[in-house]
Amino acid sequence: MADANDVHIHWMKEAMNMAQEAFDAGEVPVGCVFVRDSKIIARSRNRTNELKNGTRHAELVSIDRILADPNLTPQPCQYPLSETTLYVTVEPCIMCASALRQLGIKEVFYGCSNDRFGGCGGVLSVNSSLGHPRHPAYQATGGYLRDEAIMILRRFYITENSNAPIPKSKANRVLKTEISAWNASQST
């Protein structure tokens, strides 16, 4: 039987496949998989540019699919994700972290932190530190395939973004390949 770390790496590789799909589609390369009973029940990638909708983050696209599928959510309940674990390449943003908490996600594992918009410790700890009278906190642990997650983001951000309102020339940018060491205190 594989140890827990091997299992987490396995699911994170599936999330990285979705991030690559996002990259190939010209989206910010974030991908995720939702796992229940050792099976992927939903997989998604960012679709914000494609759908011209800033809320179409990978996590929310999957949540919509889960909630719309009567086999995955057979009856309305307060916490439909309470037996579900999320693997996502980048720390969920504040919006996604809040949605995950409201839906009672069991646990989250992510690749790299999100220093600008992170909701699981990067900016705010919506997942656990912000008190809420009804929605339970959840554990969020970062660092799984962190370097790979950082590199795909870097590869994306050195390219020209044709979807930007005023595209910036990036012809002189160089891909940084050195990644600083992971600090375990960064996970929540």
Side-chain angles (χ1 to χ4, degrees):
M1 184 173 173
D3 74 355
N5 194 52
D6 290 341
V7 170
H8 299 318
I9 296 295
H10 168 76
W11 296 126
M12 191 59 73
K13 285 180 179 178
E14 294 290 332
M16 285 301 301
N17 290 338
M18 297 307 299
Q20 183 63 51
E21 189 176 304
F23 180 88
D24 294 342
E27 296 282 353
V28 175
V30 177
C32 72
V33 295
F34 282 76
V35 176
R36 186 185 297 157
D37 298 324
S38 300
K39 292 184 292 228
I40 293 175
I41 62 168
R43 67 178 72 226
S44 299
R45 62 171 175 82
N46 274 2
R47 296 182 69 199
T48 57
N49 292 334
E50 173 188 346
L51 299 175
K52 307 229 182 299
N53 181 337
T55 68
R56 298 297 71 206
H57 290 193
E59 301 94 326
L60 296 181
V61 171
S62 277
I63 288 170
D64 286 349
R65 290 178 181 155
I66 293 167
L67 296 178
D69 186 335
N71 294 315
L72 299 175
T73 310
Q75 55 195 356
C77 62
Q78 186 172 9
Y79 298 118
L81 299 180
S82 64
E83 298 301 318
T84 307
T85 300
L86 168 65
Y87 292 87
V88 61
T89 58
V90 178
E91 173 191 355
C93 71
I94 294 166
M95 171 181 67
C96 292
S98 178
L100 292 164
R101 186 162 180 181
Q102 291 174 49
L103 294 169
I105 191 79
K106 179 179 178 181
E107 192 169 24
V108 172
F109 294 92
Y110 62 90
C112 61
S113 8
N114 183 342
D115 296 336
R116 294 184 69 199
F117 307 108
C120 296
V123 176
L124 292 175
S125 295
V126 174
N127 64 306
S128 61
S129 295
L130 296 179
H132 195 283
R134 189 173 37 185
H135 301 307
Y138 61 89
Q139 180 70 32
T141 307
Y144 289 91
L145 299 186
R146 173 184 174 266
D147 293 357
E148 292 89 336
I150 290 171
M151 286 309 298
I152 196 168
L153 287 168
R154 285 182 180 173
R155 283 182 25 231
F156 175 79
Y157 283 115
I158 66 164
T159 63
E160 302 293 329
N161 182 356
S162 60
N163 294 305
I166 303 172
K168 295 179 183 175
S169 175
K170 297 182 181 181
N172 296 327
R173 288 206 178 171
V174 176
L175 177 63
K176 284 180 27 182
T177 57
E178 184 178 314
I179 298 173
S180 62
W182 172 253
N183 180 347
S185 68
Q186 291 174 315
S187 65
T188 310

